[in-house]
């Protein structure tokens, strides 16, 4: 097994209508079922947390790929969406959209190569590959 670089730890009680906190105390959230899923809302939910985490990780992966190619990605922004979908057999699955904006990279093909490269090295992408649909967009457009 590879050397562990970091492990995050959290404690959750009450599931989607509960409370979550990291053991280091840096993150503490009230969890609520979103109104769109029949809940009361008024808190965050696992999909929002996943959307933030995936986008942040993906942006770091993109910067890593750019550095390896001796490029400066400049200011990167990512709009992420995490959707819950029924599987048809009573279960549920996730789908992700990552819309990457790279205004400092003038060449669209170079920007697309950076996004594809980030998708190969990002831990979230590697964890979800083959398990959920991930749609990558560049400036709102398919790549």
């Amino acid at each position: 097994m590879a050397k562990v670089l970091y492990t995050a730890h959290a404690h959750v009680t009450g599931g989607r209508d509960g409370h979550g906190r990291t053991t280091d105390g840096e993150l503490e959230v009230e969890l609520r079922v979103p109104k769109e899923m029949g809940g009361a809302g008024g808190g965050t939910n696992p999909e929002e947390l996943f959307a933030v985490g995936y986008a942040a990780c993906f942006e770091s992966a993109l910067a890593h790929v750019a550095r390896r190619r001796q490029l400066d990605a400049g200011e990167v922004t990512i709009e992420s969406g995490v959707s819950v979908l029924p599987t048809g057999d009573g279960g549920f699955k996730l789908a992700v959209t990552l819309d990457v904006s790279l205004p400092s990279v003038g060449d669209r093909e170079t920007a697309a190569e950076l996004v594809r490269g980030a998708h190969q090295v990002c831990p979230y992408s590697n964890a979800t590959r083959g398990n959920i649909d991930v749609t990558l967009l560049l400036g709102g457009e398919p790549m």
Side-chain angles (χ1 to χ4, degrees):
M1 184 167 141
K3 177 186 170 198
V4 174
L5 300 175
Y6 171 74
T7 302
H9 295 275
H11 178 81
V12 174
T13 57
R16 286 184 169 272
D17 271 319
H19 182 84
R21 64 176 166 76
T22 56
T23 54
D24 65 5
E26 293 297 322
L27 176 66
E28 190 160 352
V29 293
E30 295 300 319
L31 300 165
R32 297 292 178 262
V33 175
K35 291 179 182 180
E36 296 85 349
M37 291 177 63
T44 193
N45 58 68
E47 293 73 34
E48 289 175 332
L49 296 169
F50 191 78
V52 169
Y54 199 158
C57 189
F58 197 88
E59 185 172 341
S60 293
L62 194 145
H64 172 77
V65 169
R67 280 191 306 274
R68 279 197 333 213
R69 293 187 59 188
Q70 298 179 339
L71 297 172
D72 181 8
E75 185 175 323
V76 178
T77 58
I78 300 176
E79 296 292 327
S80 61
V82 175
S83 301
V84 178
L85 301 95
T87 59
D89 61 3
F92 301 92
K93 64 181 181 177
L94 298 177
V96 171
T97 300
L98 298 173
D99 187 357
V100 181
S101 177
L102 289 161
S104 296
V105 179
D107 175 38
R108 183 169 174 80
E109 185 53 38
T110 299
E113 288 172 8
L114 292 175
V115 171
R116 285 191 290 269
H119 192 48
Q120 292 304 308
V121 301
C122 174
Y124 277 68
S125 292
N126 288 328
T128 59
R129 186 169 286 110
N131 297 310
I132 67 173
D133 292 330
V134 177
T135 301
L136 299 174
L137 302 173
L138 182 57
E141 300 291 328
M143 297 188 344

